[in-house]
Structure formats: structure tokens, C-alpha cells
Amino acid sequence: LGQEFDRVLELLDLYGYADTSGWTLTDDGEMLAGIFHETDLLVAEMLRGGVLDGLGAADLAAVVSCVVYEHRSPEPPAAPWFSSKQVRQRWQLLEALSEDLRAAERSVGLGEHRPPDPTFAAVAHGWVAGVGFADIVDDEDLTGGDFVSTMKQLIDLLRQVASVAPDAEVRRSAGEAVDR
């Protein structure tokens, strides 16, 4: 347990979230401390890296859903759908941040986080944009229970983003996504 803790501290120091020589959190570390999610460090990297900057509520929800949803069916997922070239580029940036973080986790001897999954992005975008429940569930291979469960997780994470994001516009868009 002590070795695992040391590895986590090494990673946080490497990424600038903690100053291990002084046993303090940086400003980014304070932001990270306000994120409670299985991929909290990736979410913090999304925020710090500007992945969500300049996105409207529906697009922001679509991108954030990529760290919430995990495709579990034995069938391969459908090709992801993105509302614009900009949102596709944000997905690609998120994917690259995730790969870099996974490499860093490996380098310090930690288990790797679950990679992001864009399968739910179209659903999240549609819901926040005002598409009806029946239309969303009809268009996707998704049960009502899976929809509700994933949306509850997404809303929870969007609330956290609305609280800790360093960019005021991201906080506003995340709050608007929660309201919708």
C-alpha cells in the first residue's frame, strides 16, 4: 500500500498536481481534489488542457460522456458520431491525453485508467440538445436502464466540472448541460 501511494505521489508530482518536496497541492492539485471520478486525473487533464474550452452545453456533455460511458457489449460499438469537426478534434485530443497518461501510469508502475469511450457521445449530445427519450433509445442499442444510469453518472461529473473548471465559460456550459 505504501509503495502504491508513493507511485501515485510520483505521478501527481510529475504532472504538476502536487509538490512532493513540500507535501502540498498545487492550484491544479486543488482542482483535482474536487473531482470524484474513477478517471479523475484524466478529467483534470481535460480541464487543464482546454479540451472543453469554447464548447456549448450539448457538445461539452458529449465530450465529457467519453470518460463516463464504457461499452460492455460483446458486439463492437457503432462508429462514434460527433456533432462537428471541432468536437471530433476534442475527442482526439482527449484520446491523446489519455494515452499519454496511461504511458505515465505504466512508467511509475501504476495500473492504467480505463480509456475514454465515445460510444455515448451522440446520446449525451442529443439529450442535452432536446431530443426526446423515445427517439434516443430507438436510435441506439441502449436500454432505458443503461440510459438512466449513464446519464446520472454524466450529470454528477458535469456538476463537478461546473464547480472546479478553471475556465468560467466551461463552468457555465457544464451547468447548462446539467440543467438541460
Side-chain angles (χ1 to χ4, degrees), residues 91-157:
W91 155 249
Q92 291 166 339
L93 181 55
L94 172 58
E95 196 173 33
L97 285 172
S98 176
E99 240 346 277
D100 290 347
L101 180 56
R102 289 167 60 92
E105 289 166 338
R106 282 190 303 272
S107 76
V108 298
L110 289 171
E112 297 175 23
H113 68 275
R114 178 180 53 78
D117 180 344
T119 307
F120 197 80
V123 174
H125 183 277
W127 183 254
V128 173
V131 175
F133 175 74
D135 292 330
I136 288 175
V137 175
D138 256 2
D139 290 345
E140 301 292 329
D141 187 20
L142 186 68
T143 68
D146 288 341
F147 172 83
V148 169
S149 173
T150 303
M151 286 307 264
K152 286 174 70 174
Q153 293 174 49
L154 178 58
I155 290 167
D156 177 57
L157 187 54

Side-chain angles (χ1 to χ4, degrees), residues 10-77:
E10 182 180 352
L11 185 65
L12 293 176
D13 191 58
L14 176 68
Y15 270 76
Y17 290 97
D19 174 6
T20 56
S21 66
W23 284 94
T24 59
L25 291 176
T26 64
D27 288 343
D28 288 338
E30 294 289 343
M31 174 189 60
L32 174 61
I35 301 169
F36 302 96
H37 189 264
E38 67 178 298
T39 61
D40 52 2
L41 190 52
L42 180 58
V43 172
E45 283 295 288
M46 285 173 56
L47 293 172
R48 193 164 73 165
V51 173
L52 304 176
D53 292 2
L55 296 178
D59 288 336
L60 188 139
V63 174
V64 171
S65 78
C66 296
V67 298
V68 172
Y69 184 77
E70 180 178 13
H71 181 77
R72 295 174 191 234
S73 169
E75 299 298 318

